[in-house]
Amino acid sequence: MTEYSVISDTEEFLAACAALVAGSGPVAVDVERASGFRYSQRAYLVQVFRRDSGVFLFDPPAIGDMGALQTAIGDVEWVLHAASQDLPSLRELHLEPRMIFDTELAARLLGHDRVGLAAVVEDTLGITLKKEHSAADWSTRPLPAAWLEYAALDVLHLVDVRDALVAELEEQGKTDFAAQEFAATLARTPKAPREDPWRRLSGLHQVRGARNLAVARALWEAREMYAQQQDISAGRLVPDRSLVAAVLANPASKQALAGIKEFQGRASRTQLDRWWQAIVDGRAAEQLPRERVPSDTLPPPRAWSDRNPEADARLKAARPTVEAVAEELGMPTENLLTPDYLRRVCWDSPGTTAAEIGDALAALGARPWQIEQTAQKIADAFVEAAQAPDTTSPTAS
């Protein structure tokens, strides 16, 4: 077993960056976080591999300024697996690729049955990787040797995987598809924060009444503040189900709160004063949350036949058509066209020509290759749906 070490001091860091500059070809990059353990999504380890340079494991919290690494590799292609998951943590370190190759996304476009890193490495190179440390607490210091080997293997073969997938993409005529997808991944902006993030509480649908919702909001905010202060995953302090259980139980005192069996979690009793004060504050809140929140989310398709029969007909005609195109191209339907995009053009009916539908898809975020493959097919399906007899009408024969 190769022994790997973590680079944590400035001298080693600068030497590693110089070695990467001297390497050749693309660089493989990966990030290890402590999701489920820490509040933040910061990177606790950044792994980099380049041919003629080797594998380097960087400790961002210890190094601090990662600018030398950006200078060393910023202008070459970065190879990542599921890039959208790692780019936010990399950007937090001011590490920003100019161009990427996403091995997971490429595998999807190619129709691989399995797209996890270990599966793609095995399918393309015949090498078996063990993934037993993927959910580890990477904020641990020192990191065990077995974890370091696992982290190194995540990038050691990635450039070879990339080369194999490049050949597959060329063979299937999907090189441009992939290039557009990679550019879109790189250009994608983070979603705006939710107006009421506390409404993400699992089980909140059980809570009735604005006052009770105010208590749920206060408990969520108290937990969020404490989780951020301690840099501990909020759910490890007090799970969502425990906060909701406390709201539903409506305790009359701090002692009653402590007596709720379902109110569990590592901080449920040690921070009892904090949770009780949140309940008190929620009950006294002057600004109560709305019980129903306006949303631009479309109704579920099963309700369309009653709420928008014409849209229902369009969707029933267009969906199998798009699925057939995806099957012909040998890729999952959701990679050919985001399902929500199809539902929205069916619901809104921007027109029945390929140009009109293409413009609507582009406004939603579809890439040119996706529009080229689907817009005319959807337009044809819309015409078919409009010409079909209305079997729901009482006068229909």
Side-chain angles (χ1 to χ4, degrees), residues 337-338 340-342 344-345 348 350 354-368 370-371:
L337 187 65
T338 302
D340 185 60
Y341 296 173
L342 178 59
R344 288 190 178 277
V345 295
D348 295 334
E356 291 169 324
I357 291 167
D359 288 345
L361 289 173
L364 289 167
R367 270 68 73 193
Q370 295 175 316
I371 296 169

Side-chain angles (χ1 to χ4, degrees), residues 149-171:
E149 183 187 29
Y150 161 88
L153 290 175
D154 272 0
V155 292
L156 182 61
H157 304 294
L158 210 52
V159 176
D160 290 340
V161 170
R162 174 242 184 231
D163 290 349
L165 295 176
V166 164
E168 282 191 62
L169 289 166
E170 181 67 28
E171 183 181 341

Side-chain angles (χ1 to χ4, degrees), residues 18 20 25 76 129 154 159 245 254 264 272 286 301-302 309 314 316 332 387:
L20 287 165
V76 300
L129 298 182
D154 272 0
V159 176
K254 183 168 63 175
Q264 301 170 345
L272 192 63
E286 294 183 3
R302 64 178 179 274
R314 287 190 289 268
K316 285 175 176 172
Q387 293 175 345

Side-chain angles (χ1 to χ4, degrees), residues 176-247:
D176 186 51
F177 295 0
Q180 291 185 37
E181 290 302 300
F182 301 158
T185 298
L186 199 54
R188 191 170 297 133
T189 55
K191 290 184 178 179
R194 292 185 55 157
E195 183 180 350
D196 293 327
W198 60 273
R199 292 186 186 272
R200 292 177 300 178
L201 265 174
S202 179
L204 188 67
H205 63 280
Q206 303 172 67
V207 177
R208 296 287 185 269
R211 181 62 62 190
N212 287 332
L213 287 173
V215 173
R217 177 181 62 189
L219 280 167
W220 184 90
E221 290 173 345
R223 186 186 64 173
E224 200 74 1
M225 181 179 299
Y226 186 58
Q228 191 169 7
Q229 290 171 355
Q230 301 299 311
D231 193 17
I232 296 175
S233 172
R236 292 178 71 85
L237 295 172
V238 182
D240 283 7
R241 64 179 180 275
S242 293
L243 295 186
V244 172
V247 177

Side-chain angles (χ1 to χ4, degrees), residues 30-32 47 81 85-86 114-122 127-136 138 146-147 149-158:
D30 191 31
V31 168
E32 303 296 349
Q47 308 101 282
H81 191 82
Q85 297 179 20
D86 290 341
R114 306 177 302 162
V115 296
L117 176 59
V120 174
V121 171
E122 184 173 356
I127 296 172
T128 302
L129 298 182
K130 295 180 180 179
K131 299 298 292 180
E132 66 266 35
H133 302 303
S134 59
W138 288 91
W147 294 18
E149 183 187 29
Y150 161 88
L153 290 175
D154 272 0
V155 292
L156 182 61
H157 304 294
L158 210 52

